Amino acid sequence: MIWNEKYECMDNKSKKELQVRRLQNIVKFAYDNVPFYRRHFDEIGVKVDDIQELKDIEKLPFTTKTNLRETYPFSMFAVDDDEIIEIHTSSGTTGKPTVSGYTEKDINIWAEIIARAIVMVGGGSKDIIQNCYGYGLFTGGFGVHHGGRKVGATVIPISAGNTKRQIEVMVDFKSTILTCTPSYALYLSEFLEKEGFTSKDINLKAGLFGAEMWTEEMRKELESRLNIDALNIYGLTEIMGPGVAQECLIKDGLHISEDHFYPEIIDPDTLEVLEDGEKGELVLTTLTREGMPIIRFRTKDLTSLNREKCECGRTTVRMSRITGRTDDMLKIRGVMIFPSQIEKALLKIDGLTPNYHIIVTRDGILDEVEVEVEATSELFSDEVKVLEELENRIANHIHKEIGLRVNITLAEPNILPRSEGKAVRVTDKRNFN
Amino acid sequence: MIKQLSVFIENKEGRLKKAIDILSMANINIRALSIADTSKFGILRLIVQDLSKAKKILEENNFLVKETDVLAVEIPDEPTGLNKILNMLDKSKINLEYLYAFVGSKNNQAIVIIRVENIEEGLKALNNGDANILSQKDIETF
Ligand SMILES: [Zn+2]
């Protein structure tokens, strides 16, 4: 079943025409109503009329999380305050949170995209949605709530926490769709087991899992434990909330609602737009949002786009599951590397600790990577030869595991740099300017 | 056969001095030392009078320390003294890893510390050559 065939299965030509028209409108709307955008566009001399085709979006500047913090709380709103009917914020782990304002039309669009998501995972008006996303400033709870009502499903607004009660409701109310973070779903499944229930005692058929990064292994685990289809939901407060993209039952990427959001993938270093299939940072533009139009928002999430038609019948572009954040990424000799990959490789060598320090330098045009690892009494030898062999063995192992040539340096135990109790993993000494 | 302390020295400024300072502050008498140095790390090798105390104090200061078996031999007081010792090992095809020498405080005899691949074989070769092999006790009172 497809909730909105007209927009989810558009042919390429009409989709592009619609997107160009909406892009022109939103750029003009943002320029006319948000001083930030007027200033931002004027600064680099780009005009609303410069947008003639989709590719022209590349002429526009990016919007970053910092920009949104600077306009805290309401300066990004494009309408009068009394037209804003709902406000959410993203969790402000560092500094001020970012605020998102919604008009009635925005809330309807949000409900629409969640409705598409629910139907995409096999849901409908007969379903009972146990919504364990938090109800509050966080977008998860209310997003699913609005969409569930639109589909005509029964929404149980149980919110997060109180696992014993969650299990009771799941069993007694016969919930059919579960919405929460994948890690909480795993916790619930373990709790069920502990309480003596099996997957036969519950009625779940699908889960909409998001708000954190997860893997295919986790999917398999959740599917077998709960006897469900475990599917990825993606979204972010700055753009709208969950539902910006949703995985269908084919489980090969998340369909982006392209009539409302325009995605691009950029190289986070050069900021150039990449080809389909290439991995990079996701950039999103809201095409229809009134309360807070957002142009080219840098999500910091790493993914790639696939425009092939999906077996489910939808023609909307699919993004791969999020595989990392640009904040954690290192680009070395043009290749994306995550410190966690190096950590994983190190832990496969007996005697090594998970304490390491990556130092990246640039000699001329070539990046050099040094990995300091802790020497342990298990590894320490009185012979130079043995220690040099050890360094080579570790370097070869990392090369084999992640395809990166590194130099290994043995360090004395307990002196690798740490800050606030958390180890400093990476020192990038390259000068990019 | 005697015990030597091997200390891992990271390739950072001041680490070698730190190790020596720690020992001298604890009044450990260093009889001999040598440093194996590569571009990336060093190994400090020490002959000390109070081995277990030295090891403990270094470890308390986060140094990586290991006890290694080495041979200590008195060098005969003649021009070819060291040659004689090395010939004994060579004849028995004993692989030498490293050696360093120091002068004893009692009557200025030269003593050489030898690390070989196979310590038992090395010991046998020196015994057969009638070398004056020193014990841990000898070193501590020398
Ligand atoms: Zn699909």
Side-chain angles (χ1 to χ4, degrees):
Chain A
M1 277 287 289
I2 293 171
W3 172 256
N4 191 335
E5 249 188 84
K6 184 182 170 200
Y7 287 108
E8 291 180 78
C9 307
M10 282 184 119
D11 68 84
N12 210 20
K13 191 166 163 282
S14 346
K15 185 165 72 186
K16 276 195 170 159
E17 282 168 8
L18 177 77
Q19 285 183 314
V20 173
R21 207 171 61 240
R22 289 187 167 175
L23 179 64
Q24 288 169 328
N25 288 342
I26 202 80
V27 169
K28 182 171 187 335
F29 180 69
Y31 185 85
D32 290 345
N33 296 286
V34 185
F36 165 80
Y37 282 117
R38 178 177 293 258
R39 209 171 54 239
H40 216 42
F41 292 0
D42 284 349
E43 258 168 30
I44 60 166
V46 63
K47 296 198 170 49
V48 170
D49 286 344
D50 290 343
I51 308 299
Q52 292 302 318
E53 52 175 337
L54 284 175
K55 212 169 161 41
D56 292 333
I57 197 172
E58 294 173 31
K59 296 172 183 164
L60 300 172
F62 294 103
T63 304
T64 63
K65 188 124 181 151
T66 310
N67 294 146
L68 298 188
R69 286 214 180 93
E70 285 161 359
T71 53
Y72 177 89
F74 297 156
S75 299
M76 287 302 273
F77 292 0
V79 297
D80 288 340
D81 286 358
D82 70 341
E83 282 184 61
I84 298 288
I85 63 161
E86 200 166 308
I87 282 174
H88 289 277
T89 68
S90 73
S91 58
T93 41
T94 50
K96 291 271 188 205
T98 53
V99 180
S100 202
Y102 305 75
T103 63
E104 183 158 10
K105 191 184 149 208
D106 294 337
I107 293 292
N108 283 336
I109 291 168
W110 196 9
E112 160 73 19
I113 60 171
I114 295 273
R116 292 178 190 178
I118 292 168
V119 175
M120 217 179 282
V121 306
S125 63
K126 291 192 173 63
D127 278 286
I128 300 169
I129 301 172
Q130 182 162 346
N131 186 15
C132 331
Y133 284 120
Y135 278 69
L137 283 172
F138 172 62
T139 45
F142 278 96
V144 170
H145 194 93
H146 294 319
R149 287 184 50 175
K150 184 153 186 127
V151 174
T154 309
V155 184
I156 307 171
I158 192 162
S159 198
N162 199 347
T163 307
K164 211 170 161 65
R165 179 118 184 90
Q166 298 276 1
I167 299 296
E168 200 178 279
V169 163
M170 189 182 288
V171 174
D172 295 348
F173 295 7
K174 298 188 165 45
S175 314
T176 57
I177 293 176
L178 179 67
T179 59
C180 59
T181 61
S183 53
Y184 191 59
L186 188 67
Y187 184 68
L188 278 173
S189 74
E190 287 165 356
F191 208 89
L192 267 169
E193 218 169 84
K194 221 169 65 193
E195 297 280 289
F197 295 108
T198 71
S199 58
K200 288 192 186 71
D201 298 311
I202 55 170
N203 252 28
L204 290 181
K205 63 178 182 189
L208 292 170
F209 302 136
E212 67 189 20
M213 245 185 280
W214 56 304
T215 59
E216 279 301 316
E217 288 77 41
M218 181 77 149
R219 188 205 306 270
K220 291 203 183 80
E221 181 83 20
L222 288 170
E223 292 192 335
S224 79
R225 278 171 167 271
L226 294 168
N227 192 25
I228 56 168
D229 285 303
L231 300 149
N232 236 308
I233 185 166
Y234 175 80
L236 55 175
T237 311
E238 293 83 355
I239 294 298
M240 183 67 91
V244 170
Q246 172 63 47
E247 202 171 34
C248 66
L249 290 166
I250 304 298
K251 298 174 191 168
D252 186 22
L254 292 77
H255 288 278
I256 299 175
S257 279
E258 281 180 283
D259 48 332
H260 297 296
F261 311 103
Y262 183 77
E264 301 166 84
I265 301 292
I266 63 163
D267 180 316
D269 292 333
T270 65
L271 305 183
E272 267 168 56
V273 176
L274 301 176
E275 298 286 316
D276 291 343
E278 284 187 87
K279 194 164 147 180
E281 180 180 350
L282 177 67
V283 170
L284 288 169
T285 298
T286 62
L287 293 177
T288 49
R289 192 139 173 224
E290 282 180 343
M292 199 172 95
I294 298 288
I295 311 290
R296 301 194 89 196
F297 182 68
R298 292 189 60 181
T299 65
K300 295 192 170 184
D301 288 322
L302 293 165
T303 182
S304 60
L305 296 179
N306 173 7
R307 283 183 212 277
E308 273 172 45
K309 188 179 166 179
C310 183
E311 282 173 50
C312 73
R314 292 174 183 84
T315 56
T316 42
V317 66
R318 280 170 288 162
M319 56 183 257
S320 68
R321 66 163 66 242
I322 304 295
T323 49
R325 299 269 301 161
T326 54
D327 293 341
D328 308 325
M329 188 190 84
L330 271 175
K331 208 161 168 198
I332 292 160
R333 288 168 223 144
V335 181
M336 272 187 246
I337 298 287
F338 291 91
S340 57
Q341 288 176 285
I342 290 178
E343 179 173 331
K344 238 167 133 181
L346 289 178
L347 285 175
K348 285 187 186 165
I349 294 178
D350 286 341
L352 281 185
T353 69
N355 289 328
Y356 61 92
H357 180 212
I358 300 167
I359 302 156
V360 191
T361 52
R362 183 167 285 179
D363 181 16
I365 52 158
L366 201 64
D367 295 333
E368 292 288 342
V369 184
E370 181 186 346
V371 182
E372 290 183 326
V373 300
E374 275 185 352
T376 56
S377 42
E378 196 180 336
L379 295 169
F380 178 46
S381 159
D382 170 56
E383 285 174 58
V384 171
K385 193 174 63 193
V386 174
L387 291 183
E388 281 179 339
E389 272 166 14
L390 174 68
E391 289 181 336
N392 286 336
R393 186 158 62 89
I394 299 170
N396 287 337
H397 178 71
I398 289 178
H399 183 238
K400 204 181 83 204
E401 291 279 316
I402 63 176
L404 179 72
R405 283 256 168 243
V406 301
N407 291 312
I408 296 292
T409 302
L410 293 173
E412 286 166 26
N414 305 315
I415 62 168
L416 292 181
R418 279 154 224 259
S419 72
E420 291 162 21
K422 214 174 138 195
V424 177
R425 296 305 193 192
V426 180
T427 304
D428 199 334
K429 294 181 175 167
R430 291 175 294 185
N431 186 357
F432 291 110
N433 302 313
Chain B
M1 186 159 67
I2 64 163
K3 294 273 184 208
Q4 162 193 270
L5 276 189
S6 306
V7 188
F8 181 75
I9 302 290
E10 195 180 77
N11 187 13
K12 284 209 171 89
E13 229 184 296
R15 293 304 292 170
L16 177 63
K17 186 175 180 303
K18 174 104 193 277
I20 305 284
D21 285 351
I22 287 165
L23 292 174
S24 78
M25 249 138 61
N27 279 322
I28 303 280
N29 192 355
I30 300 172
R31 303 312 314 272
L33 69 79
S34 113
I35 297 150
D37 206 10
T38 76
S39 61
K40 288 162 99 183
F41 60 85
I43 301 168
L44 171 64
R45 293 163 181 149
L46 299 163
I47 303 294
V48 293
Q49 242 164 7
D50 193 341
L51 187 102
S52 49
K53 188 178 168 198
K55 186 165 187 248
K56 189 164 162 274
I57 193 99
L58 284 169
E59 279 175 343
E60 278 169 8
N61 283 280
N62 275 330
F63 280 95
L64 208 52
V65 188
K66 202 183 180 106
E67 286 179 27
T68 339
D69 293 326
V70 290
L71 300 166
V73 189
E74 193 180 338
I75 301 178
D77 188 17
E78 50 188 279
T80 57
L82 182 58
N83 278 52
K84 266 194 178 156
I85 302 287
L86 296 181
N87 280 339
M88 292 174 203
L89 295 172
D90 205 37
K91 250 194 274 171
S92 303
K93 299 204 172 1
I94 306 287
N95 265 334
L96 192 71
E97 271 168 9
Y98 55 81
L99 61 80
Y100 53 99
F102 66 103
V103 175
S105 53
K106 222 196 270 171
N107 41 5
N108 284 347
Q109 332 83 311
I111 295 159
V112 63
I113 302 292
I114 303 172
R115 166 83 183 173
V116 292
E117 221 171 61
N118 187 328
I119 193 130
E120 297 301 329
E121 294 289 315
L123 203 57
K124 214 159 78 187
L126 293 175
N127 266 326
N128 289 343
D130 216 13
N132 185 14
I133 303 167
L134 305 178
S135 68
Q136 190 75 31
K137 201 157 180 258
D138 293 333
I139 288 293
E140 275 165 21
T141 54
F142 240 65

